[in-house]
Amino acid sequence: MAFKPANNIQDLQYFGEFGGVNPSISDSSTYTFLSAKTMFDTFEGNADGCYLYSRHSSPSNLYLGEALAAMEGTETANVSASGMGAITPVLLQLCDSGDHIVSSRTIYGGTYAFLKNFTPRFNIATSFVDITKLDVVEAAITEKTKVLYCESVSNPLLEVADIKGLATLAKKNNLKLVVDNTFSPLSISPAILGADVVIHSLTKFINGSSDTVGGVVCGTQEFINDLRNVNSGASMLLGATMDSLRASSVLKNLRTLHIRMQQHSKNALYLAEKFEQLGLKTVYPGLASHPSHTLFKSMMNTAYGFGGMLTLDVGSAEKANALMELMQNKNLGYLAVSLGFYKTLFSAPGSSTSSEIPEDEQKEMGLSEGLIRFSIGLDDDIERSFQTMKLCMISLDILK
Ligand SMILES: Cc1ncc(COP(=O)(O)O)c(C=O)c1O
């Protein structure tokens, strides 16, 4: 039977303490125990249902985690203060000194910087590879490799990972496949396709209102328990805990994610098709010209489309900057990093979100200076937005 992530979210029935239709927000950092023995047992991890201290867990965070685990089809999940607060503990939990990671080379700049510049301090090495070539990925695996890391749809080049193929490689070599699914919530369900751990930056589509940062790790109960272990858990010890107030607001936004993703995807597909027809260099997984269009189709939960992200290459950094400034002046969206907002956001990744990647490596992976990354908004009349965008491009000689 097809996996239905939005049904899983809808079917969660939570009652607040006083019968509220939203669960009550837990407004405490610490919790009382009626007996000292129960407190001791909780420290030992043997008192299910007891709360100890909110860096470890809190009712609001558990509600949100449970909802995100239902969405991804994993046993459970742990929410965190940011996407990086989810990614970094996962990698540090899975790798010891001397271990090795094989990672996609097109990933979010912060993750890239962590693997390239930070984890080597702990003697954890990473090989960055073209994730779309399974033979190249396999060739990079050594006896020290512990983790295969990728984004289901990569930031910013929108490369698509063959999650089933990577999961097979991971199983064969006894590795954990960790997938960042930030760009394609609901559309792609990596755990159902074989990923061991699924991560999101909740900051983006899932929260959808650009009013907070947040993250989540979805996985097995055993792995999430490891992350939360009071003696050795990277999430517990590094301490990037989400605040309960935020967890409750993200949970409310999650309830409308399916409708928002449908609109983001519908609008992005409309614009991508129009831009391509005009002869602009357009990358969008929903276009037949995308090298992984068929692969995306084979993995997707069709109702939610190909996502809200597209890129345009307008030839030079000057043109990209002029276009973004003009589009902001015309109120088409904001010149801002991040994604998943209700208004369109645009930025040039080479000089912003991927600036951690050295220029020569940017060139090698096809990240050109004139590339603009768009996170397409929820515009009701996308044709009107397109017509205004077109006029902007004509006035800057990007279109004739
Ligand atoms: C794909 C991806 N993963 C992770 C992150 C990091 O998330 P956060 O900014 O919430 O820490 C980002 C942020 O841009 C991202 O785009």
Side-chain angles (χ1 to χ4, degrees), residues 90 94 102 131 137 146-151 161-171 174-180 190-191 193-199 218:
V90 164
L94 292 174
V102 175
I131 204 72
V137 176
K146 289 283 159 57
V147 171
L148 274 187
Y149 186 89
C150 68
E151 294 172 1
D162 175 357
I163 297 170
K164 270 191 190 161
L166 292 167
T168 308
L169 272 187
K171 291 229 159 46
N174 205 18
L175 317 176
K176 295 286 180 218
L177 174 61
V178 179
V179 178
D180 178 336
L193 298 165
D196 298 289
V197 179
V198 183
I199 294 176
C218 304

Side-chain angles (χ1 to χ4, degrees), residues 82-84 87 108 151 155 180 182-183 201 203-204 213-214 339:
S82 69
M84 288 309 289
I87 293 165
Y108 166 58
E151 294 172 1
N155 185 358
D180 178 336
T182 301
F183 274 34
S201 164
T203 316
K204 315 293 161 41
V213 287
L339 45 127

Side-chain angles (χ1 to χ4, degrees), residues 12 15 67 86 100 108 112 145 173-174 181 221 230 244 270 273 281-282 291 355 363 391:
L12 294 164
F15 294 104
H100 174 248
Y108 166 58
Y112 179 87
T145 310
N173 293 281
N174 205 18
N181 197 27
Q221 189 70 54
V230 291
S244 289
Y270 179 92
E273 283 175 344
K281 262 178 140 176
T282 314
S355 55
K363 273 211 180 85
L391 290 178

Side-chain angles (χ1 to χ4, degrees), residues 201-370:
S201 164
L202 302 176
T203 316
K204 315 293 161 41
F205 291 103
I206 290 181
N207 185 54
S209 46
S210 292
D211 54 1
T212 185
V213 287
V216 69
V217 180
C218 304
T220 60
Q221 189 70 54
E222 189 187 358
F223 182 60
I224 299 299
N225 286 351
D226 285 352
L227 282 174
R228 285 196 190 129
N229 187 297
V230 291
N231 294 308
S232 58
S235 295
M236 179 66 183
L237 297 175
L238 296 172
T241 309
M242 178 176 272
D243 181 69
S244 289
L245 275 171
R246 276 305 182 191
S248 67
S249 76
V250 176
L251 178 60
K252 282 175 274 189
N253 288 358
L254 178 68
R255 296 290 196 171
T256 57
L257 180 65
H258 57 300
I259 304 170
R260 291 186 280 112
M261 285 318 296
Q262 286 169 14
Q263 187 74 5
H264 284 299
S265 292
K266 186 173 141 225
N267 286 351
L269 179 63
Y270 179 92
L271 289 177
E273 283 175 344
K274 291 282 184 191
F275 290 154
E276 190 171 62
Q277 280 160 18
L278 290 171
L280 292 162
K281 262 178 140 176
T282 314
V283 174
Y284 181 64
L287 293 175
S289 59
H290 189 289
S292 300
H293 176 63
T294 314
L295 171 65
F296 195 119
K297 267 182 32 187
S298 74
M299 295 195 291
M300 78 195 290
N301 302 313
T302 13
Y304 313 103
F306 295 89
M309 303 302 294
L310 65 86
T311 68
L312 272 190
D313 188 344
V314 296
S316 68
E318 293 69 37
K319 282 195 168 161
N321 291 339
L323 178 61
M324 291 190 295
E325 286 170 10
L326 185 58
M327 287 192 299
Q328 178 161 262
N329 283 341
K330 297 285 178 200
N331 198 6
L332 284 164
Y334 295 113
L335 199 182
V337 299
S338 202
L339 45 127
F341 191 41
Y342 39 78
K343 292 254 294 188
T344 294
L345 301 178
F346 30 82
S347 57
S351 53
S352 61
T353 45
S354 297
S355 55
E356 293 90 342
I357 303 172
E359 256 175 53
D360 51 331
E361 289 178 39
Q362 289 194 19
K363 273 211 180 85
E364 203 190 308
M365 61 175 72
L367 210 169
S368 53
E369 276 186 348

